[in-house]
Amino acid sequence: MSMPWLTVLWLLPAVASLIVMLLPAERSENAKHVAFGASLLTLVWAIVVATQFSSSTGGFQLVEDASWIPAFGTRYTLALDGLGLVLILLTVVLTPILLLAAWRDVDGSSGTARRTHIYVALMLAVEAMVLMSFVAADVLLFYIFFEAMLVPMYFLIGGFGAAEEKVRSRAAVKFLLYNLFGGLVMMASVIGLYVVGARSGLGDNGGGTFSLVDLTAAAARGGLDASPTVLNILFLGFLFAFAVKAPLWPLHTWLPDAAVSTTPAAAVMMMAVMDKVGTFAMLRFCIGLFPESAQTFAPWISALAVVSVVYGAICAIGQNDVMRLIAYTSISHFGFIVLGIFALTAQGQSGSALYMVNHGLSTAALFLIAGFLVTQRGSALIADYGGVQKLAPILAGTFLVAGMATLSLPGLAPFISEFLVIIGTFTRYPVAAVIASVALVLSAMYILWTYQRMMGGPVRKSVTVDQSEPPIRDLDLRQKVVVAPLIIGLLVLGLFPRLALDYINPAVAHSSQQTGQHDPVPTAEEPR
């Protein structure tokens, strides 16, 4: 019997989450240590899994398959490709960083006695469900965890954070309702896909199947027994759920409220980790299962993505709350990711996959550093700051680096991914690529202007409450340990993007070959 690499991968944080909840209520420090240790163990295991993966193969590897619910044609099937691998590595790297960043965010002495236990257990539960989503090769299995991850994130948003309880509750309910509605629409499409598979003779004795491999192969050869209209409807059902999760304009409004209501670490877990499941699923399910529908709707989806890019950037410029500003930058970045996916070119999709990783690192760095500052001052208003670089030069310097990464400065990780997305989009939709490029100028405006107002200039009197001990302190050792790997990751992937692209490109090429996707052939006019 072969080693169940992928099962162990998601079970490690899942089991650790249960163990944390079984610890005595007074052992809050022990709960944090167990959770942090489990996240490190999951990281080590993921690295071992990566060593078992061959970057030269674009298809699924490390496949695990077992009977689950035969009557429904669904199986416990896990598989890994290059795209899933890089997102898994992003998840397992960020989780221990986030747990360390939130070490003092939740005080066990306030609220319920098990407040700390609940917080770290929920973080591990989200990690486990996200990891399962990246390796699930059964449509129903994916759907279950796609929906289940909403539960721990709902409690993280509604139960923790500096915002008032009423504000947190409202943001949590909004988050849940949006995503549950998206999941409800997707469920109808999942059922419809099963019916189509049964009519197409797929599954045991033609009884239908949820196997992603079988359904994708049938879709590629035109073997799904359904009219184009039916396939288009099923495609839109999947897309709607993923566009809510991503989120894509105009389904984005839950994100800023949720991001500023919870703790910075939980907000990063949501934006940098959980939301990637939406864009990942667009590549794996929308394009893999419905290649012709994807081509039909690609121009319209690209138009929505361009609106997201520009809208998110403009809204970011108008914010007076630094945390909400960063949340709106994520909406803009998700627009870039979706744009590259539905450009339906190899460069665009490789750039989008790389952008998912780079956005995770840059957003984590910027949001956590801003969170460290806001925690000290007790205010997220940009106007309450000034001259921070004189009081906390390391904090200001790392904020600047993370901000430069967010605006895609050459040499930092997001640059090459954004460049690939624009180039890949330009070959098919030149107007969309040109309009999206405007966001490069807008991002420079909101990042540099924010840095100037908060970090530059004279020290504001409101910052210094006690002349003997200014409340704005530089990063302590724990915070430096949190920020350092994120900054290093932005530099390393900025200089050596092949570390990720060597795994992403074969997966994108394999998917393109399966779905019959071809890049546009460049044309040139004859000289007169």
Side-chain angles (χ1 to χ4, degrees):
M1 181 178 178
S2 60
M3 173 66 73
W5 298 102
L6 304 181
T7 296
V8 174
L9 178 67
W10 76 267
L11 275 180
L12 281 172
V15 172
S17 176
L18 295 176
I19 292 174
V20 166
M21 290 305 299
L22 294 176
L23 293 175
E26 65 274 10
R27 300 290 183 89
S28 60
E29 287 297 313
N30 287 0
K32 290 187 284 188
H33 283 99
V34 170
F36 183 68
S39 67
L40 289 179
L41 183 59
T42 307
L43 170 59
V44 171
W45 186 261
I47 294 173
V48 175
V49 170
T51 64
Q52 306 298 310
F53 189 90
S54 174
S55 61
S56 61
T57 303
F60 285 135
Q61 301 178 41
L62 306 178
V63 178
E64 300 174 25
D65 184 68
S67 178
W68 183 26
I69 312 176
F72 292 164
T74 185
R75 300 180 63 83
Y76 176 80
T77 306
L78 308 183
L80 185 64
D81 65 357
L83 175 58
L85 177 61
V86 295
L87 292 175
I88 283 172
L89 291 175
L90 171 69
T91 302
V92 298
V93 166
L94 285 182
T95 301
I97 291 174
L98 297 179
L99 289 172
L100 190 60
W103 202 263
R104 301 300 177 197
D105 284 356
V106 183
D107 186 0
S109 63
S110 62
T112 64
R114 305 186 66 85
R115 186 172 174 82
T116 301
H117 298 62
I118 295 171
Y119 181 80
V120 297
L122 291 173
M123 293 284 279
L124 290 174
V126 173
E127 180 189 21
M129 293 176 186
V130 168
L131 292 175
M132 170 57 92
S133 299
F134 290 145
V135 298
D138 181 275
V139 177
L140 182 60
L141 184 65
F142 170 84
Y143 173 77
I144 290 172
F145 282 88
F146 180 82
E147 288 293 277
M149 68 179 68
L150 301 178
V151 177
M153 185 54 66
Y154 166 80
F155 287 108
L156 282 171
I157 296 170
F160 304 89
E164 295 180 2
E165 183 177 354
K166 183 184 296 184
V167 174
R168 295 199 311 268
S169 298
R170 187 184 302 116
V173 170
K174 188 176 182 180
F175 158 82
L176 191 64
L177 290 179
Y178 267 71
N179 283 273
L180 281 180
F181 182 64
L184 181 64
V185 174
M186 180 182 169
M187 182 176 68
S189 289
V190 169
I191 296 171
L193 183 63
Y194 177 81
V195 173
V196 169
R199 290 176 54 184
S200 306
L202 300 179
D204 296 336
N205 301 319
T209 181
F210 287 106
S211 169
L212 179 63
V213 174
D214 293 345
L215 289 167
T216 301
R221 64 174 184 266
L224 292 180
D225 185 12
S227 67
T229 300
V230 170
L231 293 177
N232 287 344
I233 293 173
L234 296 180
F235 166 84
L236 290 174
F238 278 88
L239 178 69
F240 183 83
F242 302 150
V244 172
K245 182 86 78 178
L248 181 69
W249 184 92
L251 305 172
H252 67 284
T253 57
W254 62 266
L255 178 63
D257 293 337
V260 301
S261 297
T262 187
T263 66
V268 172
M269 178 65 83
M270 179 184 66
M271 292 187 296
V273 177
M274 190 194 75
D275 288 353
K276 296 300 188 306
V277 177
T279 47
F280 164 82
M282 289 180 187
L283 272 170
R284 174 157 291 179
F285 294 92
C286 287
I287 293 178
L289 295 173
F290 311 101
E292 295 182 359
S293 298
Q295 293 178 11
T296 299
F297 290 99
W300 302 99
I301 300 169
S302 297
L304 292 178
V306 170
V307 174
S308 282
V309 169
V310 178
Y311 171 85
I314 292 175
C315 287
I317 293 174
Q319 299 305 309
N320 57 10
D321 182 309
V322 64
M323 310 303 276
R324 190 173 288 270
L325 181 152
I326 299 171
Y328 273 106
T329 68
S330 284
I331 294 172
S332 182
H333 294 153
F334 275 114
F336 266 111
I337 294 171
V338 175
L339 181 62
I341 291 171
F342 285 96
L344 301 179
T345 61
Q347 282 182 319
Q349 292 180 349
S350 292
S352 290
L354 182 60
Y355 210 141
M356 295 182 210
V357 177
N358 295 336
H359 169 263
L361 295 174
S362 61
T363 297
L366 195 61
F367 211 88
L368 291 178
I369 295 168
F372 293 150
L373 181 61
V374 169
T375 299
Q376 292 188 46
R377 179 70 180 89
S379 171
L381 295 178
I382 296 173
D384 287 344
Y385 296 89
V388 173
Q389 64 186 6
K390 298 177 181 178
L391 301 173
I394 297 177
L395 187 153
T398 52
F399 184 90
L400 180 61
V401 173
M404 292 297 101
T406 299
L407 62 82
S408 299
L409 183 75
L412 295 174
F415 168 75
I416 188 63
S417 49
E418 198 162 290
F419 180 78
L420 286 172
V421 167
I422 292 175
I423 293 298
T425 303
F426 188 84
T427 60
R428 193 176 296 275
Y429 305 120
V431 175
V434 171
I435 296 175
S437 299
V438 173
L440 299 175
V441 178
L442 297 177
S443 62
M445 291 176 60
Y446 61 67
I447 288 297
L448 296 178
W449 190 32
T450 300
Y451 182 86
Q452 180 185 16
R453 288 183 290 169
M454 294 183 66
M455 308 297 172
V459 177
R460 288 183 59 86
K461 292 182 179 180
S462 60
V463 173
T464 306
V465 178
D466 182 356
Q467 295 292 335
S468 63
E469 185 181 0
I472 301 300
R473 302 179 301 278
D474 217 339
L475 299 180
D476 59 27
L477 179 60
R478 174 180 61 87
Q479 294 167 339
K480 290 175 184 176
V481 172
V482 167
V483 173
L486 299 173
I487 300 298
I488 292 172
L490 292 172
L491 292 171
V492 170
L493 285 179
L495 298 175
F496 306 103
R498 284 191 58 184
L499 293 174
L501 287 174
D502 282 348
Y503 292 95
I504 292 171
N505 288 338
V508 170
H510 178 78
S511 175
S512 299
Q513 183 180 11
Q514 275 197 317
T515 58
Q517 174 183 306
H518 301 287
D519 291 355
V521 178
T523 58
E525 295 183 1
E526 293 287 339
R528 296 181 179 179

